[in-house]
Amino acid sequence: MSRRQAISGTALTAAVAAIATVPTCVRKAEDDDEGMVPPARINPEPVAPDDIAALGIAGDGETDDTDAINAALVERDSLLLPSGRFRVAGTIVVPPGRQLTGRSSFAYTGVPQEGTRLIATGDGRTDPVVRLGEGACLTSLAVRGTGHDPAHDGVVLDGRNLLREVNILHCRTGIDCGYSGVNRIECCNIHDNSGYGIARCVDSIVSLNYLNVNVAGGIHLPAGANDNIITQNKVEWNHGYGINAEDAKHNVMSGNNIDRNGRSGVRLSGCERTVVTANVLRRNGARSEGVADDDTHILSTGGAGTLVLGNLTHSGPDDDGDGYDSPSACIVADPDSTGIVVGNDLTGHTGSGGAGTHAAGSGVQLAANLGKSTRAGFVGDGGTTSRKVTLGAGEEASETFSLLPLDPFDIGRVHSISLLARNPPDGTRGAATAVVLVARENGDAVVTTEGVSNTVGSCFGAGPGLVGVGFRVDARGGELTVVLTNSRSDEVQVHVGVGS
């Protein structure tokens, strides 16, 4: 083993150990804690599984084992099933504080072919395959649903549950936390479900999982799904969003690899105080060509107090080089979004960003980011790249640049305007600059300038034979428009750019 391999292995082991030892419900039991169920403890795996024949469990893939498994779980604290196929026509119910485990059954995609497999049966069934009572554990087995358009969930949680090394596929929602809290979902493989891989978590840790090829998306945090830590997961190939949070609060998304999801890698809609940090975001928006809001790594609509810190971005087609080269933008935010975007690599996009018409975020602060997206607004170049305009004789044109809106009491912001002109008939050229001040004093923003100063030649200014330059700004100070008027008798080409 090389030194690099040893260091990497040590770091990974330490990271896993740190997560595994996070206390999920550290509380001393008191005499008045009537009805409180202590969480199950994972027992060391015995040399041999339980004698399922003595328990009336067939494990032959043909006999319905639902009742026999449920009866065994009522009789004992834990049940270890051997490798095999266990037909489940009803719902396996793991009572509070009990543990159901098996022999590890893993398939990154496709159907597991070995290990302990719970196989759901029943046309049109709506009940879940497994339900965990409070404090119950489910480990080291596979849960396979009835098909690709099922009406039933894979595993439903009642709270303070542990799922580890569970493979879930062909269900509706892979794991429905049902807004139950203090769950740990770790080292699971959740794929090829018709809904989301994991949904409705509260006060939970979701770590070290694979979530891929789920149709609706990887993880769903609807309103009320608050205070979760989602860390070190691989979220890829999902048809919808990688992580979709809607009106959720206080969630941390850290250290995930979010890749090739069909829509945005991370969507934050109406969320409050969300942290998105140290993630690798690659090739998201793969199914969203031409859909501006979803063709991005991170989408914020009405997000408040969002921190986007230290993320890396990358664009491209699928591994074989085919398919849509995505995403067009690194981050898209609507005018109602607020937060801080700092220390990110925002070079991983394919679009130019245009004028950034859907990119300016109200109250969003940017600092120390790599890539053209670092100026103002978010899409592509932030809407400030130099533009080329061709004006015929007597024509007027305008170019609008997207900037960060001003706070109502901001002292103001200074922008430097660069202008280049070329007269095609004779090839003469000229250059000029202008300084504009945009300010907003508890009202609409206003723009002030001392005019244009020619630095090379005399192409710009007021009067016949010159190109006139004027400025206007929107009410919030987030869009600066440069108005160009050609008073010459022939065509002129102008480049105009904005700097700060």
Side-chain angles (χ1 to χ4, degrees), residues 249-271:
K249 301 178 182 180
H250 315 139
N251 290 295
V252 176
M253 306 166 189
S254 175
N256 302 287
N257 189 307
I258 304 172
D259 183 18
R260 284 172 292 188
N261 295 285
R263 304 177 79 174
S264 305
V266 176
R267 177 183 182 240
L268 307 174
S269 176
C271 297

Side-chain angles (χ1 to χ4, degrees), residues 215-303:
V215 176
I219 299 174
H220 189 206
L221 303 175
N226 305 329
D227 302 287
N228 298 289
I229 298 174
I230 299 172
T231 181
Q232 301 180 73
N233 301 283
K234 190 165 179 59
V235 185
E236 66 176 356
W237 289 327
N238 297 288
H239 295 191
Y241 299 109
I243 302 175
N244 183 17
E246 301 176 285
D247 298 309
K249 301 178 182 180
H250 315 139
N251 290 295
V252 176
M253 306 166 189
S254 175
N256 302 287
N257 189 307
I258 304 172
D259 183 18
R260 284 172 292 188
N261 295 285
R263 304 177 79 174
S264 305
V266 176
R267 177 183 182 240
L268 307 174
S269 176
C271 297
E272 297 182 22
R273 293 175 290 280
T274 307
V275 176
V276 182
T277 181
N279 300 286
V280 175
L281 298 131
R282 307 173 61 209
R283 300 174 289 187
N284 294 293
R287 294 170 176 260
S288 299
E289 184 174 5
V291 184
D293 284 352
D294 286 337
D295 190 5
T296 180
H297 290 304
I298 300 175
L299 170 63
S300 176
T301 58

Side-chain angles (χ1 to χ4, degrees), residues 137 244 265 347:
C137 297
N244 183 17
T347 61

Side-chain angles (χ1 to χ4, degrees), residues 16 127 143 240 352 389 464 472:
V16 174
D127 54 327
V143 176
S352 64
V389 182
R472 62 174 181 261

